[in-house]
Amino acid sequence: MTLKTPQQYIDDIRKMKIDLYMFGEKVENYVDHPIVRPSVNSMAMTYKLAMDPEHEDIMTAMSNLTGQKVNRFTHLHQSTDDLVKKIKMQRLLGQKTGCCFQRCVGMDAFNAVYNTTFEIDAKHGTKYHERFVEFLKYVQDNDLAVDGCMTDSRGDRSKSPGEQPDPDAYVHVVDRSKDGITVRGCKMHQTGLINSHEILVMPNNSLKDYEKEWAVSFAVPLDTPGIVFIYGRQSCDTRKLEKGSIDVGNQYFGGQEVMAIFNDVFVPWERVFMDGETDFSTMLVERFAAYHRQSYGGCKVGVGDALIGATQAIADYNGVARASHIKDKIVEMCHLNESLYSCGIACSAEGRKTASGNYLVDILLANICKQNVTRFPYEIARLAQDVAGGILVTMPSEKDFTHAQIGPMIKKYFIGKSDISAEKRQRMLRLIENLTMGTAAVGYLTESMHGAGSPQAQRIMISRLINLTHRKNLAEKLSGIQENKEVDWQ
Amino acid sequence: MTLKTPQQYIDDIRKMKIDLYMFGEKVENYVDHPIVRPSVNSMAMTYKLAMDPEHEDIMTAMSNLTGQKVNRFTHLHQSTDDLVKKIKMQRLLGQKTGCCFQRCVGMDAFNAVYNTTFEIDAKHGTKYHERFVEFLKYVQDNDLAVDGCMTDSRGDRSKSPGEQPDPDAYVHVVDRSKDGITVRGCKMHQTGLINSHEILVMPNNSLKDYEKEWAVSFAVPLDTPGIVFIYGRQSCDTRKLEKGSIDVGNQYFGGQEVMAIFNDVFVPWERVFMDGETDFSTMLVERFAAYHRQSYGGCKVGVGDALIGATQAIADYNGVARASHIKDKIVEMCHLNESLYSCGIACSAEGRKTASGNYLVDILLANICKQNVTRFPYEIARLAQDVAGGILVTMPSEKDFTHAQIGPMIKKYFIGKSDISAEKRQRMLRLIENLTMGTAAVGYLTESMHGAGSPQAQRIMISRLINLTHRKNLAEKLSGIQENKEVDWQ
Amino acid sequence: MTLKTPQQYIDDIRKMKIDLYMFGEKVENYVDHPIVRPSVNSMAMTYKLAMDPEHEDIMTAMSNLTGQKVNRFTHLHQSTDDLVKKIKMQRLLGQKTGCCFQRCVGMDAFNAVYNTTFEIDAKHGTKYHERFVEFLKYVQDNDLAVDGCMTDSRGDRSKSPGEQPDPDAYVHVVDRSKDGITVRGCKMHQTGLINSHEILVMPNNSLKDYEKEWAVSFAVPLDTPGIVFIYGRQSCDTRKLEKGSIDVGNQYFGGQEVMAIFNDVFVPWERVFMDGETDFSTMLVERFAAYHRQSYGGCKVGVGDALIGATQAIADYNGVARASHIKDKIVEMCHLNESLYSCGIACSAEGRKTASGNYLVDILLANICKQNVTRFPYEIARLAQDVAGGILVTMPSEKDFTHAQIGPMIKKYFIGKSDISAEKRQRMLRLIENLTMGTAAVGYLTESMHGAGSPQAQRIMISRLINLTHRKNLAEKLSGIQENKEVDWQ
Amino acid sequence: MTLKTPQQYIDDIRKMKIDLYMFGEKVENYVDHPIVRPSVNSMAMTYKLAMDPEHEDIMTAMSNLTGQKVNRFTHLHQSTDDLVKKIKMQRLLGQKTGCCFQRCVGMDAFNAVYNTTFEIDAKHGTKYHERFVEFLKYVQDNDLAVDGCMTDSRGDRSKSPGEQPDPDAYVHVVDRSKDGITVRGCKMHQTGLINSHEILVMPNNSLKDYEKEWAVSFAVPLDTPGIVFIYGRQSCDTRKLEKGSIDVGNQYFGGQEVMAIFNDVFVPWERVFMDGETDFSTMLVERFAAYHRQSYGGCKVGVGDALIGATQAIADYNGVARASHIKDKIVEMCHLNESLYSCGIACSAEGRKTASGNYLVDILLANICKQNVTRFPYEIARLAQDVAGGILVTMPSEKDFTHAQIGPMIKKYFIGKSDISAEKRQRMLRLIENLTMGTAAVGYLTESMHGAGSPQAQRIMISRLINLTHRKNLAEKLSGIQENKEVDWQ
């Protein structure tokens, strides 16, 4: 059986001994750390739903490598239908967790490394693809969570990796031996990293011929010696340390961003998937980015569903749900959210088969998708705050509500429609705060902006992929500048 | 052979003897009327491209009724792939004509009437579907252009058809005999009507039980006695009457909007596809609207391509194409245009099989698509005007440019980059004027707003189709208001 | 001397003995509480700048009541120039504090109560105005901070005060004696309330004739017996409790929102400024709202300046400030911010003298101003996050950076341009986080949405104040529907 | 008496013998040409309203040169109050004409040339200011309409005037004699040029030291020999040639754009206001641009009022004015329009006295104003089309409505609410078409984009005038990067 239970997954992670720091202190049992645990839960949800018969069709797939049913997060897309189901799976997870559930990066990396290594081997006669297939079988057989690591620290942005004063600004090979390679550098903004069994590293950008040391891709277990992890702060993160279940907004689930420093980490050759092929770094980066830009058309839509639901709920609780302007704002939120979903579906449905056999999204449309994700969630969040009311940011703390003396006084003045308890309003407002300003806003807003590449990165891709010459020709024909034989009907 | 040549099509239309008025005068040979002809050419283009091997795959299909290759405009969608190809066909036509090519309404009506009559018959034991199939075989065999007619004149908008002071405000049955029915009323905003062989009439909206006379669908040839046609005016329409080929903007192609008054028109029973089944008027209207809202995610995108091309061209001619703000504006135009396309693709890819066997788009996403079409083309047009420069609206007329004395003076001052002739700039600016203010703006802007239903109609459908209760439940679980068993991993 | 030093102000507040709760605990020395102190500092800044000769012209004014120089926050506007200077003062304070500095509400209440009581007395022969003038002289002479209290808890929003199941849903008179009145109820969302010497209460909305008990305005010292205060939570509030000066974002300044419960509070007659004049509740509410909607065209612009500065700084530190898209985004931020400022200036410059002699803003334009404030700061914040980069939400904590072992590792990878320290980037990113997601976002975003009335409140006022009949007449003349004699030149 | 009647003005213009071409033909009596006449009427309206006691305060002013009451269009602004009244006058004219009334350019040129020549003389000891004052007294005494001419044909945009292959790409001095100068070149996009008595020419842009021949400003009567005028085409211009009063949309008023070619035109010295002072070309251009960017915050708002009125009217006629989405769209139109007005007011109220004594607007805010004008009218127009309905672009022609046979049929189907005639709907729809796609759209949309400088020109000015260093300092203080002594209260 290749599907793990959520509990098995959590047990796996609990066994990891890693060098992790948070708030200036070393963290030992991070799985049960109250700041980390909600993010573990989110990842665990990717295991749980895969076992749910209701969601089996979109959560699992038949592996082309092993012939077994696998969690779709470890699957190589075999059709556009698979690409579409990926989006639906992500939307479902976003709905169920209300935050970033972290397992997409690995899935997107699998697919990009798979088809790129195939093309590297075809050109260079290397054996990366074969090695990668072995690695991926291992992942599928054991239902592993894997983090795809791409973004380097990057030093001076105006210089390429080989020109940096500090060569470590990008992860690179510092030594090679008959057993493997040794790498150094730092990967930043790593989503769900310490909730993963394995790390799959990729280069960050296009490379020049001589920058071979930076053209490196490999996988290592999370607990490989030499990696130092530092947990990233999030808005309102320490609310998770407070007692109580309300002010935290979402007591169950959360995201996770980690910085990983590779201090001369050894990687055996069977885990090296690229080493020096600078001519393929662009392909790998663009394909990974395209898959990941597609992803945002699923996951953020799911979170958007949760935020729309919260907005509808608070409107109901406040007794204003029938006001025409409220209804119209909620329609607008839905419209924007479904527009994002449409973009996620479109780049999937328009995908194509690669030389390796797996399917790649339509790269142009995936960039269109992500570009919209850098805009619409902000407007959806703004509308949610509009509907929620100012109480969103002036409400007393949970502890005040339960205080023996003042609690009843506060509650007296929090009664709106008579059948709605003060606590219901509290809980829903805190969820909206969480999604628009708190820990989940990190994923829903700022990560929507920068994850899978900042807006300008998409614009550059769009300008590269749009054929303006073709369009100019259309116009020159219609205007009569170029001869237009098309209306010569004979 | 079921595919007509464009010339055969034009010859067909030329034979029509209809009661047509324009500018207060009866028009006899309307096919060769300079105001009408460009719209005939647009429709002819749907014939021409179907014969082009390069476009065969998207322009034609195998009929499920006859087993023959037919023009896709007469096809019943047999798969989501067919729905996607429909969008691609429409984008292609929009690119080639730079305007509304008019044949979509019929295609959308075919598919909606086909699957709705199937369900009427299933419930009521009628024979509409069989009749309709016969009609459609005739259409396919003869490669006919058919206009779908839905929008009535509607009188007082606050009243339903049966409550109107004038019952003719909506097309209705005024008589029935053993041979057929007689209908009266007026259909407005009929796109490409007089460029069609046949007219397929549908009811306009939901009907109450007693409003049986208004629940009527039928087809008649264009030249059926009793129909009066009045040609609609468009911005800059009379430029087509001027000599010269420049100021008209697009000398080849144009759209067409016609008002059709049915003065007691007789329809034989074999052409009646609904007569009194008020319980199916909503289904027919919503399905037709959904197909047609999908359509806008193809055709307007194609016109957008032409406008983007014109904008790139004028930027080149003006020597400003490398300015970063110009490039960024063109990227934005492309981004918006591809966002519309994504919506068109998404509602197609997510389509589903109906009881009758043909495919229906995802209705929610089709409404999302159209809602965006009521916005983005306006912004694309605004950006085009930004890039084009003020000369767009201050340029002398074509005749001034060719005047013996002042022509050379004007041209001297119209030289920008030395290798670009004044005429090139003239032509491209006039095309942009045509698309953003002139005859083509009618189709690209105002029709994008109101065609297939005004924006509020889509918002009503969105609010109806979005399951807010489901989303509210998601939020209530995440906030802890409803019990959340999902994180109980055991 | 009527101007207090900031230290004198702080000493005043420190003397207050009030019944304050926060996080379920009673707070005694709240002035030095780390969560409260930054908000005290903001208020103190209104005192400090008034003593600075550089800002004397905009920070102070000559009192029309006492002939003395007073802090402009206690001044009655004597001209449109005074109204414009108010805006400039608020922009300055926003720039200096980067948050809400809280003293505006009192100033706006003074001016509204002043001119409304004048009109009440003129109609009803009451003496409220005289009493209020005495109160205001006392405020000016002692340079007091006063909070204007308007928003009630409001219970069921669909019912007016007199119809509520619980009459206390709106503050109202529960008893009258020869010495004064006794009031009960709750005022919510009170900005800077416990940083004030006095509280000036006003009714919340239009009242029906019989709702006399709710038509009440009065002033009491902060430490009047019977008032219970509960401190409102803000996103990231507890970062102020952490050691260190970086992660808090803005270690100096902050806003404050407090809930105040009036448990049968006694008010002597000389402090009662309205008691039962339901016919003037609308005027008082609309005028206060207008002044306060004007205010947002100053204060939020100042905070916007700080955010723009932070964005420019991080762009510089990241070495991307010369990229054309970065420059363009910063221009856009400035454009939006100055558009808000223009609205603040316009409603001020178009102000008019009231019957009482002080000046009122143009109410329509003040509503336009506030409506834009519910939109543009969100877009400015979005652009700031765009420029800042994803590191905004993934950065390790301050303590990690200073950790003996991992601190140097982290810093190594935070070096961008070589002359910029990791700490500089840290500090600037935390400030942007503070302004776009943290404690200051409460004021800059959500309060911009709801403070001084939610967006729909402004739309209702706009629709009421715009003369659509006049505009319709213009159109009917131009279209020839109404006779147009205006082109009869003779 | 310095105020002319409209008829006197028209008589003046009728006397002009100029070399004018339109549609490739020489036009003799252009005042009575149906395409030109509506634009003459617009200009005449500036005369008519000045004589109307109701509008005297904003339409006239006391001249600082002559001590006489003059039309404000010829006035030098003596205060910020004058600047504000200018905006109100422009809004009034926009309301009354529904289009561009053309006289602003001259007013803006007067004020810019007045204060710039003062500063030229102060530096260079020249006598331009004195000459210009004489010219302006003549203008005021005779109540002349004067067109300010700035925009050159500009050839290759990447080259400055002195680098052009053709030196005539910018108007320049080709000869000097003891009597005066001779100039050559072409001024494009000249608003209302042939409705003016005089032409006031200014240089187009910043100039290098050696480009002295292009640093030229002067005034000549319209009928000065050597100038060739070519009338610019507008969308739907030839509807004015049709019989009938409806389809033209606005039968009374229109705008005008003309190209003027200066074929070696002689200018006597007393009419030369700059000749070679390249160091002042930037000042003159920026000041004129600032005044003119302010203007758009008045005139376009007035046209917006007319369009809002038309939208309200058609909503009434269609019987949908009470639908909440219709009301909300009209509120949004008003909100955007008043936002523009606020910008117009703000840059006026924040104006300052120049060395010459007249007042200059706040240049930054004037650019903010214009930048918004490049956006909001497009959205207002889009909303107008939304409310108007699709009939806006499908309606039969006026002649069809009056046709003996089909007219009654058409009218039967144009009855909406029973008390509204078909003609009323026709007229209002044609006015909206005129304003959003027709001749008036030229002024309301495209000219809003490009008049007084294209959007990017404003962005460049904004980036130049915003002090980002100051803002960066604010942020560095708040973040603790720079020492912040401001919270040291002692």
Side-chain angles (χ1 to χ4, degrees), chain B residues 169-224:
Chain B
Y170 290 75
V171 167
H172 63 123
V173 178
V174 291
D175 194 28
R176 282 183 192 79
S177 70
K178 71 172 187 5
D179 297 326
I181 60 175
T182 303
V183 298
R184 189 188 301 154
C186 170
K187 292 287 188 181
M188 303 185 82
H189 324 304
Q190 294 311 316
T191 303
L193 179 54
I194 61 167
N195 296 340
S196 305
H197 301 83
E198 296 268 345
I199 307 174
L200 174 51
V201 170
M202 297 164 286
N204 192 116
N205 47 0
S206 296
L207 294 168
K208 295 169 186 162
D209 276 0
Y210 76 92
E211 297 174 319
K212 294 196 185 303
E213 310 311 312
W214 291 269
V216 61
S217 175
F218 59 86
V220 286
L222 187 72
D223 50 5
T224 301

Side-chain angles (χ1 to χ4, degrees), chain A residues 316-317 332 375 472 476, chain B residues 316-317 332 375 472 476:
Chain A
D316 284 342
Y317 301 169
E332 182 65 16
R375 301 175 179 181
K472 191 177 165 184
E476 291 194 335
Chain B
D316 284 341
Y317 302 169
E332 183 63 18
R375 301 175 179 182
K472 190 177 166 187
E476 291 195 334

Side-chain angles (χ1 to χ4, degrees), chain A residues 76-94:
Chain A
L76 296 166
H77 315 298
Q78 298 299 304
S79 63
T80 57
D81 193 49
D82 267 354
L83 290 168
V84 167
K85 282 182 176 159
K86 173 190 155 180
I87 287 294
K88 293 183 177 180
M89 171 177 73
Q90 292 169 313
R91 184 171 187 169
L92 176 68
L93 263 303

Side-chain angles (χ1 to χ4, degrees), chain A residues 5-7 10 37 40-42 44-45 48-49 84 88 91 94-98 245 249-253 302 304-306 308-313 316-317 328-332 334-339 341-343 345-347 349-350 364-365 367-369 371-372 375-376 423-425 427-428 431 456 458-460 462-463 466 468-490, chain B residues 5-7 10 37 40-42 44-45 48-49 84 88 91 94-98 245 249-253 302 304-313 316-317 328-332 334-339 341-343 345-347 349-350 364-365 367-369 371-372 375-376 423-425 427-428 431 456 458-460 462-463 466 468-490:
Chain A
T5 67
Q7 192 57 54
I10 294 172
R37 186 51 187 262
V40 176
N41 287 343
S42 301
M45 204 66 172
K48 172 149 186 166
L49 293 176
V84 167
K88 293 183 177 180
R91 184 171 187 169
Q95 291 178 336
K96 292 287 189 183
T97 61
S245 68
N250 181 342
Q251 65 190 294
Y252 310 110
F253 301 107
D305 286 326
I308 289 166
T311 306
Q312 179 64 39
D316 284 342
Y317 301 169
D328 197 61
K329 283 164 188 165
I330 292 174
V331 166
E332 182 65 16
C334 293
H335 169 65
L336 293 172
N337 204 41
E338 298 298 328
S339 293
Y341 183 59
S342 294
C343 292
I345 293 293
C347 64
E350 289 289 287
L364 172 61
L365 296 188
N367 278 279
I368 298 297
C369 177
Q371 182 76 4
N372 282 323
R375 301 175 179 181
F376 295 174
E423 188 189 315
K424 267 192 165 182
R425 291 182 69 206
R427 287 194 179 275
M428 202 49 77
L431 179 62
Q456 186 63 8
Q458 288 112 53
R459 295 179 89 76
I460 289 167
I462 294 167
S463 78
I466 281 282
L468 288 170
T469 304
H470 169 57
R471 285 169 176 75
K472 191 177 165 184
N473 284 336
L474 295 171
E476 291 194 335
K477 278 189 187 165
L478 292 173
S479 65
I481 289 171
Q482 290 186 29
E483 193 183 11
N484 195 338
K485 290 194 184 155
E486 278 165 348
V487 285
D488 180 6
W489 304 126
Q490 313 310 330
Chain B
T5 66
Q7 192 57 55
I10 293 172
R37 185 51 186 263
V40 176
N41 286 343
S42 301
M45 204 66 173
K48 171 147 186 166
L49 293 177
V84 167
K88 293 183 179 181
R91 183 171 187 169
Q95 291 178 335
K96 293 285 189 187
T97 61
S245 68
N250 182 343
Q251 66 190 289
Y252 309 110
F253 302 107
D305 285 326
L307 181 53
I308 290 167
T311 306
Q312 179 65 39
D316 284 341
Y317 302 169
D328 197 61
K329 283 164 188 165
I330 292 174
V331 165
E332 183 63 18
C334 293
H335 169 65
L336 294 171
N337 204 41
E338 298 298 327
S339 293
Y341 183 59
S342 294
C343 293
I345 292 293
C347 64
E350 289 289 288
L364 172 60
L365 297 187
N367 278 279
I368 298 297
C369 177
Q371 182 76 4
N372 282 322
R375 301 175 179 182
F376 295 174
E423 188 190 316
K424 268 191 165 183
R425 290 183 69 205
R427 286 193 179 275
M428 201 50 77
L431 179 62
Q456 187 63 8
Q458 288 112 54
R459 294 179 89 76
I460 289 167
I462 294 168
S463 77
I466 279 283
L468 287 170
T469 305
H470 169 57
R471 284 168 177 75
K472 190 177 166 187
N473 285 336
L474 294 172
E476 291 195 334
K477 278 189 185 165
L478 292 174
S479 65
I481 289 171
Q482 289 187 29
E483 194 184 10
N484 195 337
K485 291 193 182 153
E486 278 165 347
V487 285
D488 179 7
W489 303 126
Q490 312 312 330

